[in-house]
Amino acid sequence: MAVAIFLLIIVVGSVVFTFWSPWWFSEIASNWGGIDTTVLITFWVCGAVFVAIGVFMAYCTWKYRHREGARADYQPENARLEWWLTVITTIGVVAMLAPGLIVWDDYVNPPDEALEFEVLSQQWTWKFRFPGADGVLGTVDVANLSLDNPFGMREDDPAGEDDVLVNSAEVHLPIGQPFKVLLRSRDVLHDFFVPEFRAKMDSVPGMVTYFWFTPTKIGQYQIICAELCGMSHHTMRGWVHVDTEEDFAAWFANQPTWAEMRDGVTRKVYTALAQRGRQVAESSGCLACHTLDGTKVVGPTWQGLWGGEQTLADGSKVMVDEAYVIESVREPNAKVVEGFAPGTMITYGADVVSDDDLEALIAFLREDAAP
Ligand code: CUA
């Protein structure tokens, strides 16, 4: 009897929790209401089965409880019961899967008026690329990926010249405009997901995946990575700003094209030693965790780092000079910057970053901070 009541409490409690809990879908900001509908159909089918099985178990534990002298009846086959269970299960499974197929068909068939943009994912950030005035995205090559060419643009493809490159994890989109989103990955499997859009898609190294959506509500929506992609997967975030058409146009006009980026509109000129330091930073993986543009990723940004002061976790301050940089590479946990966890960075010994490399790296930091 106690077990039967316990089972009933679980069933009733689950139902009450479902209707009274404060957690529900965030307000939708795209055209994908159909995805909510399919999720809800699955939810109701599973919920009904959960309640039916729970109540049936409670009934059986009460009805067939132990009684002196009672004997169990052995009945291994019951064609009628199996027939019914097969029919009901089939209806339930079809009800859950068929709507998903209909929505999926829509999800991967963008309307004719959809414009394109590209999402480039990498450990552990996002970048975006729009076709320029010609409406065509230039071709790319992974072999070209570098600090100076963060999208791997091909020099020999004129269609790429006017591509608008957003070298940041924040992108803007105009409201009401359908977009076909093309996804690329620089390194491992990631998944572009904006919960309010109800839309997500894996980005797979070596191929271009896609889906489409129309932003329907002005606002700022967080991008999260929905595929475990390494130590800092949880920090792989970004923002989509859904703007009015005018606000979007103003933002868009401020983004550099590939031709402008390549021609060094924003690029600095470094000495040969600093240039080598920059390559060291890139090839040793420093830039996966330390940005050059002020963005906080896994470790402190390197923007304006050299010659300034860092506040440490214990509240003390330290000058960023040669001794500090060398120590931070060789013994990263000796001084931990405020707001960052100790043990996040591995130790880089001389076998990985040689003393010469370190000297070049310091030259780069020094020149990068110089106005
Ligand atoms: Cu990228 Cu998780």
Side-chain angles (χ1 to χ4, degrees):
M1 190 67 180
V3 175
I5 291 173
F6 179 69
L7 288 169
L8 280 178
I9 289 174
I10 289 179
V11 172
V12 174
S14 302
V15 173
V16 168
F17 180 80
T18 300
F19 286 102
W20 281 15
S21 94
W23 297 293
W24 196 245
F25 299 153
S26 49
E27 206 183 319
I28 191 164
S30 83
N31 56 311
W32 289 121
I35 290 183
D36 282 0
T37 309
T38 57
V39 170
L40 285 173
I41 290 172
T42 302
F43 177 77
W44 288 118
V45 170
C46 293
V49 172
F50 172 78
V51 169
I53 290 178
V55 171
F56 181 68
M57 286 199 317
Y59 170 75
C60 290
T61 39
W62 168 76
K63 168 96 180 179
Y64 302 108
R65 64 192 179 278
H66 175 72
R67 261 175 299 209
E68 242 8 276
R71 278 186 61 80
D73 181 25
Y74 180 60
Q75 195 182 32
E77 303 281 348
N78 185 331
R80 233 173 70 134
L81 181 66
E82 278 166 27
W83 175 244
W84 273 113
L85 286 176
T86 305
V87 169
I88 292 170
T89 309
T90 304
I91 292 171
V93 170
V94 169
M96 288 194 288
L97 296 188
L101 291 176
I102 295 166
V103 177
W104 174 259
D105 183 51
D106 196 4
Y107 197 59
V108 293
N109 281 301
D112 291 340
E113 68 273 23
L115 301 178
E116 288 185 342
F117 76 94
E118 179 192 71
V119 176
L120 177 61
S121 54
Q122 67 181 84
Q123 286 175 324
W124 287 281
T125 190
W126 309 93
K127 300 179 198 300
F128 307 90
R129 181 164 67 114
F130 290 81
D134 63 359
V136 179
L137 283 167
T139 46
V140 291
D141 189 334
V142 277
N144 293 349
L145 284 164
S146 74
L147 204 53
D148 292 328
N149 188 354
F151 290 81
M153 305 293 295
R154 280 174 56 153
E155 302 283 357
D156 57 357
D157 182 2
E161 294 289 303
D162 64 349
D163 282 12
V164 172
L165 306 181
V166 184
N167 196 5
S168 143
E170 287 196 34
V171 70
H172 292 240
L173 295 175
I175 189 167
Q177 168 65 51
F179 277 102
K180 180 179 181 184
V181 187
L182 303 159
L183 300 119
R184 268 200 300 149
S185 170
R186 182 174 175 162
D187 35 45
V188 300
L189 195 61
H190 301 278
D191 189 300
F192 179 82
F193 179 34
V194 178
E196 285 85 351
F197 296 160
R198 304 297 193 269
K200 68 200 275 286
M201 183 61 75
D202 277 7
S203 65
V204 186
M207 66 187 284
V208 177
T209 52
Y210 69 90
F211 68 95
W212 77 275
F213 78 103
T214 307
T216 56
K217 197 165 156 260
I218 301 252
Q220 190 180 333
Y221 307 102
Q222 194 168 42
I223 304 163
I224 56 181
C225 176
E227 196 70 66
L228 187 59
C229 57
M231 192 178 73
S232 297
H233 153 71
H234 64 284
T235 66
M236 189 165 168
R237 312 227 174 183
W239 292 96
V240 177
H241 300 258
V242 176
D243 291 344
T244 61
E245 234 164 281
E246 302 79 67
D247 287 352
F248 170 76
W251 170 82
F252 194 70
N254 267 322
Q255 307 306 312
T257 63
W258 163 230
E260 286 167 349
M261 185 183 276
R262 188 190 47 210
D263 295 346
V265 169
T266 53
R267 213 190 318 158
K268 299 169 77 163
V269 181
Y270 298 96
T271 62
L273 185 63
Q275 192 59 42
R276 198 168 75 74
R278 202 158 177 252
Q279 282 158 7
V280 169
E282 202 177 348
S283 60
S284 307
C286 311
L287 300 179
C289 300
H290 302 280
T291 66
L292 300 176
D293 63 1
T295 317
K296 179 177 167 174
V297 197
V298 182
T301 182
W302 284 358
Q303 188 188 49
L305 181 71
W306 186 265
E309 270 189 338
Q310 281 285 43
T311 306
L312 302 180
D314 62 7
S316 63
K317 291 189 190 298
V318 60
M319 265 300 279
V320 179
D321 55 14
E322 241 177 275
Y324 171 72
V325 171
I326 291 171
E327 184 186 52
S328 297
V329 172
R330 299 285 187 233
E331 277 180 78
N333 292 319
K335 294 191 176 70
V336 176
V337 174
E338 187 179 36
F340 295 91
T344 309
M345 180 173 153
I346 58 164
T347 300
Y348 285 82
D351 51 331
V352 183
V353 178
S354 69
D355 286 343
D356 284 352
D357 286 349
L358 204 46
E359 192 195 333
L361 191 63
I362 288 167
F364 168 59
L365 285 175
R366 180 183 288 129
E367 287 178 33
D368 194 55

